[in-house]
């Protein structure tokens, strides 16, 4: 667009360096003075500040959502009226520290062989991805002000508006202080020693030392087409020629090349009044040229010929520009894209340069090397706040938006567990549910989708990496194998076993007449659900009052007794029979089968090691009558266990497989409302006690039809959605916050793949594990594969 000259030239004029011929590496760093809050004076009266902003899911959302993001990004760009720079920094990741975070160290506890295989699986994922690179995004804003105070006032006002604009897109904007800004420069100049950076602003002021000595390397040697540091060899390139239209994935494509690089998009807004006046002036000039051209032709008696093609095109272009500026909220900018490519050898650098140029050629972008301007290009690319190369061209707001800096979200928390890899970026998904406001989870997947494999992987990571306890409620005996291999207790409850759990167990030594700890109240709430299950009908108010009365009398008598004892169900039954109301006998009659009848397995004192670190309750063989009651009994036992662990400062991971049975969804609809309420109350209460509940079920569509299940889903910040069928996408988006476009990653996907929601971050993940290792054999539930390998099925635990 060559129609803009005159005053526009001043806007895109390159900055002059502090030193025309620097005598040291320190003099090359374009910083004059620094302030503790991160506002730097680059040259006299020119101040800059750097902000880090978070990535968002752009490539994984629908076209409609991408359009909305582009519109919002256009609004954001238009809102900035000073020169700014967007930097995408593929920085070096300390792989030794990274491996230390994600791999599990040996503990010499008899399970190091499992840790070795687990670490091998994680290592394969590291090698398959670009784990040696960590991507950061920065916004650098530069402004001219008389002094630091005026610059500070500007940035304070600027931050408030920009944080709202970034929040509207789904990102977060945070300013960097002096130490954080210097760390960014340190990460380039001292690549490989990132973890050794240390800077104390107050100590720097007292000592009056030069902070540049601590961040720069020992040398930089410039050549016409590249430059060398004491650690790497680098090359600065830029986009010389742009196509008529550029896809919004271009920046993502060049920054996703797995190499160390710095990509900067420098943008200088043109004042709208200057743009309008210039366009009007140019348009009047074109009209005058056309009129003059027609007069000449008329003078030569040439009345039929039209105006020249060149003037026609120029007029049409100007009219389109004026319409865009006046009606379509388009602003004019000068913009330029620069990259610094970093490699270990010149051969590698040439290969990287060729790759980047090939990508550019694919989109008709001519990417060239900064010849004899490598130093100036480096200072321009770094998020310092200067621009020392003139590679700018005019662009409208929509053209700037095509240089979209967003790609896909990532999950990486050094204290977390590995949940596979991001299917888009190939980076590891390392999440820590304990850091979420609500660490409860739900795992969905049709049979064969890998949901039990996913949960077993998490259990193994918890057991091998932490000291937390694990409890599993297992209706199909799928988790007995992993528990036995980890020294856990497998409790197979049935009519013909001698495994007993006392549902009325309490630490009777903690009882008092005022029930100050709420032990009796909690037990009363539990017994309401148990009695309703036993009676197979809804309780009325008289039933509830009788049950509450008997429970209170049962435990208050124990509290007043000198000889403490733990009651069993027959004690509660006897109390019911002594009550005068006819309803009490109805309740007792409903309980008779489970107290003195053939299903009396819960009318005994507990005879199992319920304090083991890994417990699996198997309820497959209980039968229809006992299964619902067994679920309630075990949940009550689990609640008490979580409370005891909380007093010890220990977390408890609870897994409930096939939880739709307890919630009464789908074919199990019509079950007791108390079972669902009790599970929901457990969902809410255990969070404060360090409990992490996980519900495992098949079809999310059934869950969305149950109010209690929907409420639990809405309060679960960790959701793993594997292969699904017939998903109500709108309801899922409303309840769980998973966009409809993301569901393409669960429709028809392979086993072990799906969507992972961790807090506000949603990513497509791949948790598949290669076969032929002991962990795969331990987790595998495919009967046909087990039979081929000679592995016993879960019937061995019946």
């Amino acid at each position: 667009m060559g129609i803009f000259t005159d005053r526009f030239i001043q806007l895109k004029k390159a900055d002059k360096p502090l030193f025309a011929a620097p005598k040291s590496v320190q003099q090359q760093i374009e910083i004059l003075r620094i302030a503790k809050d991160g506002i730097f004076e680059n040259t006299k009266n020119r101040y800059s500040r750097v902000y880090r902003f978070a990535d968002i899911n752009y490539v994984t959302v629908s076209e409609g959502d991408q359009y909305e993001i582009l519109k919002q990004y256009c609004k954001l760009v238009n809102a900035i009226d000073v020169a700014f720079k967007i930097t995408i920094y593929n920085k070096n990741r300390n792989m030794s520290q990274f491996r230390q975070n994600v791999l599990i160290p040996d503990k010499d506890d008899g399970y190091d062989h499992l840790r070795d295989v687990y670490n091998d699986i994680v290592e394969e994922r590291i090698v398959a991805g670009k784990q040696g690179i960590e991507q950061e995004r920065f916004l650098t804003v530069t402004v001219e002000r008389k002094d630091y105070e005026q610059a500070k006032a500007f940035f304070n006002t600027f931050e408030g508006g920009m944080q709202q604009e970034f929040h509207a897109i789904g990102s977060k904007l945070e300013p960097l202080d002096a130490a954080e800004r210097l760390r960014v420069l340190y990460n380039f100049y001292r690549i490989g020693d990132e973890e050794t950076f240390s800077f104390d602003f107050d100590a720097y002021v007292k000592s009056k030392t030069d902070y540049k000595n601590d961040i720069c390397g020992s040398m930089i040697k410039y050549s016409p087409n590249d430059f060398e540091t004491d650690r790497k060899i680098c090359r600065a390139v830029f986009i010389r020629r742009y196509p008529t239209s550029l896809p919004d994935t271009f920046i993502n494509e060049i920054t996703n090349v797995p190499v160390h690089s710095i990509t900067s998009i420098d943008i200088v807004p043109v004042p709208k009044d200057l743009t309008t006046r210039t366009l009007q002036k140019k348009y009047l000039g074109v009209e005058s040229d056309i009129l003059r051209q027609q007069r000449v032709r008329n003078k030569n008696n040439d009345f039929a010929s039209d105006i020249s093609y060149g003037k026609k095109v120029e007029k049409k272009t100007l009219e389109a520009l004026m319409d865009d500026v006046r009606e379509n909220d388009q602003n004019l900018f000068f913009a330029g894209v620069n990259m610094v490519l970093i490699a270990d050898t010149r051969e590698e650098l040439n290969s990287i340069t060729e790759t980047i140029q090939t990508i550019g050629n694919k989109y008709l972008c001519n990417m060239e090397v900064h010849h004899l301007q490598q130093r100036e290009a480096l200072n321009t690319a770094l998020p310092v706040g200067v621009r020392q190369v003139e590679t700018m061209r005019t662009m409208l707001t929509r053209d700037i938006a095509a240089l979209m800096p967003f790609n896909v979200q990532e999950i990486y928390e050094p204290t977390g567990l590995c949940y596979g890899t991001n299917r888009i970026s190939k980076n590891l998904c390392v999440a820590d549910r304990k850091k979420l406001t609500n660490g409860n989870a739900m795992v969905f997947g049709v049979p064969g989708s890998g949901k039990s494999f996913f949960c077993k992987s998490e259990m193994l990571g918890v057991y091998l990496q932490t000291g937390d306890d694990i409890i599993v409620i297992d209706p199909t005996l799928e988790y007995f194998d992993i528990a036995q291999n980890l020294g856990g207790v497998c409790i197979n409850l049935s009519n013909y076993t001698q495994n007993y759990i006392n549902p009325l167990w309490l630490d009777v030594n903690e009882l008092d007449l005022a029930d100050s700890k709420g032990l009796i109240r909690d037990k009363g709430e539990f017994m309401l659900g148990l009695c309703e299950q036993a009676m197979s009908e809804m309780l009325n108010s008289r039933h509830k009052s009788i049950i509450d009365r008997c429970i209170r009398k049962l435990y208050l008598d124990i509290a007043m007794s000198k000889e403490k004892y733990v009651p069993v169900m027959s004690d509660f039954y006897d109390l019911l029979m002594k009550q005068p109301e006819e309803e009490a006998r109805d309740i007792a009659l409903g309980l008779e089968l489970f107290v003195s009848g053939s299903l009396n397995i819960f009318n005994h004192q507990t005879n199992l090691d319920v304090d083991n670190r890994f417990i699996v309750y198997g309820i497959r063989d209980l039968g229809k009558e006992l299964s619902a009651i067994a679920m309630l009994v075990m949940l009550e036992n689990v609640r008490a266990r979580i409370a005891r662990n909380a007093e010890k400062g220990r977390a408890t991971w609870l897994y409930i497989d096939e939880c739709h049975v307890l919630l009464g969804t789908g074919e199990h609809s019509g079950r007791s409302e108390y079972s669902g309420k009790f599970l929901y109350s457990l969902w809410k209460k255990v969070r404060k006690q360090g409990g992490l509940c996980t519900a495992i079920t098949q079809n999310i569509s059934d869950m969305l039809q149950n109010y209690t299940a929907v409420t639990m889903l809405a309060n679960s910040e960790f959701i793993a959605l594997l292969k699904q069928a017939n998903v109500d996408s709108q309801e899922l988006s409303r309840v769980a916050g998973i966009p409809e476009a993301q569901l393409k990653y669960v429709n028809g996907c392979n086993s072990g793949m799906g969507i992972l929601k961790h807090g506000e971050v949603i990513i497509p993940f791949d948790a598949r594990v290669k076969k032929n290792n002991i962990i795969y054999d331990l987790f595998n539930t495919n009967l046909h594969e087990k039979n081929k390998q000679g592995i016993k099925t879960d019937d061995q635990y019946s």
Side-chain angles (χ1 to χ4, degrees), residues 7 48 50 53 122 183 191 203 237 284 291 301 337-338 402 447 469 486 523 526 560 575 591 612 725 786:
R7 293 179 59 185
S48 66
V50 176
F53 63 92
V122 176
R183 177 187 288 277
I191 188 170
V237 300
L284 289 174
L291 184 60
N301 297 322
V337 178
N338 298 277
D469 289 352
L486 294 176
K523 189 62 71 174
F526 159 70
M560 292 185 293
L575 266 178
L591 290 174
N612 190 284
K786 284 190 170 187

Side-chain angles (χ1 to χ4, degrees), residues 20 23 35 71 105 107 129 193 267 357 377 383 417 456 474 506 538 599 614 636 661 688 697 706 728 730 780:
K23 299 179 181 180
K71 282 175 54 179
K107 296 184 179 180
D193 291 336
I267 302 173
Q357 289 177 332
L417 304 173
K456 288 178 182 179
D474 183 7
L506 271 183
M538 296 286 293
L599 305 181
F614 198 143
E636 171 63 12
V661 176
K688 300 177 182 178
T697 188
N706 182 284
D728 187 341
Q730 292 184 350
N780 187 21

